[in-house]
């Protein structure tokens, strides 16, 4: 099992979710986050002055899935979250050591 953690633009959540619905997934978590990547934020102009905004609003989307589903889920996210501009986000994939379904006590791939 793997956890796919995708940092995406907030306005890309709906198209990404619609694409995930098509490829299939068993659950997701969504967190509003702030962060920055290589550019360390953006410079904004206001009344002639420049302000450095170092933290930008993003969404963190987390999906735990079978190893065999990682490729299609990543593809759905990439194809629908991408604008081609800096700040499109990143995808991190983690190994899941164990998953337990609280209601039934099941452990492993069956919980998904
Ligand atoms: N190395 C990192 N560690 C943790 N979070 C990161 C890292 N890089 C990016 N992020 C997260 O992803 C969000 C979007 O990052 P961003 O897409 O700007 O990355 P980037 O490497 O600067 O790529 P780009 O050059 O396309 O902008 C950040 O706001 C942050 O939340
Ligand atoms: Mg960036």
């Amino acid at each position: 099992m793997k956890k796919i953690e995708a940092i995406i633009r907030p306005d890309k959540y709906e198209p990404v979710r619609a694409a995930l619905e098509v490829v299939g997934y068993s659950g997701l978590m969504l967190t509003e986050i702030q962060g920055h990547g290589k550019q360390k934020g953006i410079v904004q102009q206001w009344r002639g002055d420049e302000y450095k905004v170092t933290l930008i609003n993003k969404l963190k989307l987390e999906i735990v899935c079978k190893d065999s589903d990682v490729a299609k889920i990543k593809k759905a996210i990439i194809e629908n979250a991408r604008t081609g501009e800096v700040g499109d986000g990143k995808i991190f994939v983690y190994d899941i050591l164990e998953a337990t379904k609280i209601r039934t006590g099941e452990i492993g791939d069956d919980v998904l």
Side-chain angles (χ1 to χ4, degrees):
M1 249 180 291
K2 297 274 195 278
K3 182 169 85 170
I4 299 170
E5 181 182 280
I7 314 300
I8 61 172
R9 298 179 192 275
D11 62 334
K12 293 299 181 186
Y13 173 69
E14 278 306 332
V16 165
R17 207 205 58 81
L20 290 170
E21 193 73 47
V22 175
V23 300
Y25 67 100
S26 72
L28 62 78
M29 311 180 230
L30 194 65
T31 314
E32 291 181 342
I33 62 145
Q34 294 189 312
H36 68 73
K38 283 201 182 82
Q39 290 76 25
K40 299 200 160 48
I42 50 171
V43 175
Q44 284 192 335
Q45 307 248 1
W46 196 70
R47 295 192 175 174
D49 288 326
E50 288 195 338
Y51 295 88
K52 179 94 175 165
V53 180
T54 50
L55 292 172
I56 298 167
N57 293 332
K58 301 282 175 183
L59 291 177
K60 179 172 72 172
L61 173 66
E62 295 167 86
I63 296 175
V64 176
C65 67
K66 288 186 280 187
D67 289 10
S68 54
D69 288 341
V70 170
K72 68 178 185 184
I73 289 173
K74 273 183 59 183
K75 184 166 183 275
I77 296 170
I78 292 165
E79 285 179 352
N80 291 280
R82 189 172 181 280
T83 67
E85 302 295 320
V86 297
D88 273 350
K90 291 219 171 86
I91 299 177
F92 304 108
V93 179
Y94 302 73
D95 278 324
I96 292 287
L97 294 181
E98 188 182 282
T100 303
K101 187 165 185 150
I102 292 175
R103 177 168 58 85
T104 58
E106 287 166 285
I107 293 178
D109 275 11
D110 290 349
V111 311
L112 299 176

